[in-house]
């Protein structure tokens, strides 16, 4: 399904006379730094720390870990 | 070094109580700045065990913490012991070049242990009170004038910490409160904002037992009373603060700034405030 979705712009580009296959319909979120928050029941999650303060990361970690297990 | 070892030992002991949450990864973040205004040295510290019901739908599940009423000549501060510990750690880390997961794993369990989440500083000379509290990563501050509580002294007597105590009741913040105070310590103060009785309050609870403060120790150790000074503190009103606090519990998505991946769902946290503020 994903490859069909990604292939669609290529097909459209072909009809339009272009072959710019680098354009995709999906823009991927890019984060340089992740931390993993491991909770007791292994229901772990990851937080992006780009542009965050330590306090923001800690508070997000605390908030998301509530009621997780 | 000694300070770090004390903090590490404390964190090791408290970690189990929080549940095993561990942060891992390779990250270097700027440390939190630490600045305070010194307000005086304490002449007395009253320690209260603080028990509360966070969720009214599960009244048997109570949480506890330890709070302290720090009394100096001109100021009184009421704060959670773990909030003081957190400040000590922040102070140590503020001198470092960056914060990594090692430091975060030292801070996280202490954050989770803070039961009484506001800190309250009363100026005894002009009766003004400053409240500081955190809502997610934002720090708020509001001020009010100390209210003259209309206590009703009633019959009743018992003993707390070998002090004979008498009973009084008052309505405040939408709750009915019971206080046990001792005239042997003629200080008209108590936990939270309560005071104005002929002696120190050694026990305080609301009649629905949602909040209970019980004195468990008194000492005369000299400690610093300080007020945290933070550049980005949001100065607001009491009403706005309680509204923000309620929103954080009920609509946490309004406060999350970061990006998360993994199967996550932000759940509402039950909100049971110590005071009901008309919104």
């Amino acid at each position: 399904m994903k490859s069909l979705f990604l292939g669609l712009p290529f097909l459209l580009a072909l009809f339009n006379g272009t072959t710019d296959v680098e354009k995709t319909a999906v823009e991927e979120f890019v984060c340089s730094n992740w931390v993993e928050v491991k909770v007791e029941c292994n229901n772990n999650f990851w937080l992006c720390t780009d542009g965050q303060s330590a306090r923001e990361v800690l508070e997000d970690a605390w908030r998301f870990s509530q009621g997780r297990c | 070094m000694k300070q770090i070892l004390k903090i590490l030992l404390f964190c090791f002991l408290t970690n189990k109580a929080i549940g095993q949450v561990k942060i891992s990864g390779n990250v270097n973040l700027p440390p939190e700045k630490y600045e305070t205004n010194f307000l005086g040295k304490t002449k007395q510290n009253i320690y209260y065990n603080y028990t509360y019901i966070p969720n009214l739908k599960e009244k048997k599940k109570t949480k506890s913490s330890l709070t302290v009423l720090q009394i100096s000549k001109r100021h009184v501060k009421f704060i959670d012991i773990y909030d003081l510990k957190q400040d000590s750690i922040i102070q140590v880390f503020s001198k470092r070049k960056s914060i990594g997961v090692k430091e975060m794993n030292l801070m996280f369990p202490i954050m989770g242990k803070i039961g009484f989440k506001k800190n309250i500083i009363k100026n005894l000379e002009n009766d003004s009170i400053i409240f500081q509290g955190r809502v997610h990563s934002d720090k708020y501050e509001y001020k009010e004038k100390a209210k003259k509580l209309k206590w009703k002294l009633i019959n009743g007597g018992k003993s707390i910490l070998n002090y004979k105590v008498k009973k009084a009741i008052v309505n405040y913040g939408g709750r009915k409160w019971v206080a046990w105070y001792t005239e042997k310590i003629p200080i008209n103060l108590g936990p939270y904002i309560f005071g104005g009785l002929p002696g120190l309050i050694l026990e305080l609870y609301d009649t629905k037992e949602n909040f209970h403060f019980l004195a468990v120790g008194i000492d005369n150790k000299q400690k610093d009373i300080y007020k945290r000074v933070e550049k980005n503190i949001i100065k607001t009103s009491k009403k706005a603060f309680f509204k923000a606090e309620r929103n954080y519990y009920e609509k946490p998505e309004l406060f999350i700034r970061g990006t998360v991946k993994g199967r996550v769902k932000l759940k509402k946290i039950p909100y049971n405030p110590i005071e009901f503020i008309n919104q």
Side-chain angles (χ1 to χ4, degrees):
Chain A
M1 188 66 197
K2 189 182 173 183
S3 49
L4 173 68
F5 189 58
L6 287 174
L8 238 140
F10 177 68
L11 287 171
L12 283 170
L14 274 182
F15 279 116
N16 288 337
T18 65
T19 55
D20 186 358
V21 297
E22 285 176 35
K23 286 183 191 168
T24 63
V26 177
E27 282 209 31
E28 212 175 302
F29 173 75
V30 177
C31 173
S32 310
N33 299 289
W34 294 94
V35 289
E36 185 181 7
V37 183
K38 296 174 184 171
V39 294
E40 217 166 8
C41 53
N42 291 324
N43 194 5
N44 305 338
F45 58 95
W46 288 261
L47 290 170
C48 176
T49 62
D50 290 355
Q52 298 289 298
S53 67
R55 171 66 64 176
E56 283 167 339
V57 174
L58 281 167
E59 294 285 351
D60 282 355
W62 186 85
R63 193 62 182 83
F64 280 112
S65 63
Q66 296 306 293
R68 208 161 164 80
C69 292
Chain B
M1 184 63 188
K2 216 171 160 182
Q3 210 168 7
I4 299 282
L5 285 171
K6 267 196 224 168
I7 291 166
L8 278 169
L9 178 65
F10 178 78
C11 289
F12 175 74
L13 293 170
T14 56
N15 196 40
K16 295 279 175 191
I18 300 301
Q20 302 291 332
V21 176
K22 194 172 171 171
I23 301 170
S24 63
N26 188 14
V27 65
N28 290 300
L29 296 170
E32 193 173 324
K33 288 192 167 71
Y34 187 81
E35 193 186 330
T36 59
N37 278 343
F38 174 73
L39 298 174
K41 289 270 185 197
T42 60
K43 44 183 188 167
Q44 214 159 20
N45 305 287
I46 325 297
Y47 299 90
Y48 294 92
N49 189 52
Y50 169 54
T51 305
Y52 59 104
I53 297 174
N55 185 355
L56 287 174
K57 291 182 182 172
E58 294 184 79
K59 287 186 181 177
K60 286 185 183 171
K61 284 189 181 172
T62 59
K63 286 193 174 181
S64 284
S65 186
L66 187 64
T67 56
V68 63
L69 183 69
Q70 299 179 303
I71 304 171
S72 73
K73 192 176 171 186
R74 291 190 180 87
H75 291 90
V76 175
K77 183 172 174 179
F78 186 72
I79 188 168
D80 195 294
I81 290 283
Y82 294 102
D83 207 341
L84 286 174
K85 297 277 181 200
Q86 182 179 237
D87 279 350
S88 297
I89 292 184
I90 293 170
Q91 185 180 20
V92 168
F93 291 165
S94 68
K95 294 167 189 166
R96 295 189 179 181
K97 284 184 187 166
S98 64
I99 298 294
V101 292
K102 186 174 132 192
E103 287 82 6
M104 286 194 197
N105 284 317
L106 286 173
M107 286 180 67
F108 193 87
I110 292 176
M111 254 175 68
K113 277 291 259 182
I114 299 171
F116 191 82
K117 297 190 194 303
K118 292 173 196 44
N119 65 79
I120 294 149
I121 298 169
K122 185 177 175 181
N123 184 320
L124 295 171
E125 291 178 337
N126 61 22
D127 269 352
S128 65
I129 309 180
I130 292 173
F131 296 77
Q132 289 186 331
R134 195 174 286 284
V135 177
H136 197 62
S137 53
D138 291 325
K139 193 86 177 268
Y140 288 76
E141 181 179 294
Y142 65 88
K143 294 181 183 177
E144 65 176 17
K145 203 85 176 152
K147 289 179 176 60
K148 277 201 171 13
L149 298 173
K150 292 174 186 169
W151 291 101
K152 193 176 169 188
L153 307 185
I154 58 178
N155 288 331
K158 61 179 184 180
S159 190
I160 298 172
L161 290 177
N162 291 325
Y163 291 99
K164 279 190 182 157
V165 290
K166 292 182 179 177
K167 196 174 180 181
I169 56 174
V170 73
N171 288 324
Y172 176 79
R175 297 183 187 275
K176 191 171 179 180
W177 295 87
V178 176
W180 292 89
Y181 64 96
T182 176
E183 288 171 338
K184 283 284 180 186
I185 305 176
I187 299 172
N188 62 350
L189 297 165
Y192 193 37
I193 53 85
F194 291 89
L197 284 166
L200 179 69
I201 296 172
L202 294 181
E203 186 176 13
L204 176 79
Y205 50 86
D206 67 302
T207 50
K208 292 188 179 174
E209 291 261 14
N210 283 192
F211 302 91
H212 195 140
F213 300 89
L214 177 64
V216 292
I218 299 176
D219 71 39
N220 302 326
K221 286 181 186 168
Q222 279 209 322
K223 295 191 177 180
D224 287 351
I225 292 187
Y226 60 86
K227 178 178 164 275
R228 281 284 303 268
V229 174
E230 290 173 75
K231 195 177 134 192
N232 299 324
I233 202 161
I234 301 165
K235 294 196 177 173
T236 186
S237 66
K238 183 175 185 174
K239 192 171 170 176
F241 172 78
F242 274 85
K243 187 174 182 182
E245 191 182 61
R246 176 182 280 278
N247 279 339
Y248 174 59
Y249 280 71
E250 296 181 348
K251 298 174 195 171
E253 63 276 7
L254 297 175
F255 296 84
I256 303 295
R257 293 195 181 106
T259 304
V260 62
K261 75 176 176 187
R263 267 187 243 155
V264 285
K265 190 180 173 184
L266 269 178
K267 292 185 179 179
K268 265 196 205 184
I269 299 179
Y271 183 58
N272 186 20
I274 197 166
E275 281 187 56
F276 294 108
I277 309 291
N278 291 328
Q279 296 294 329

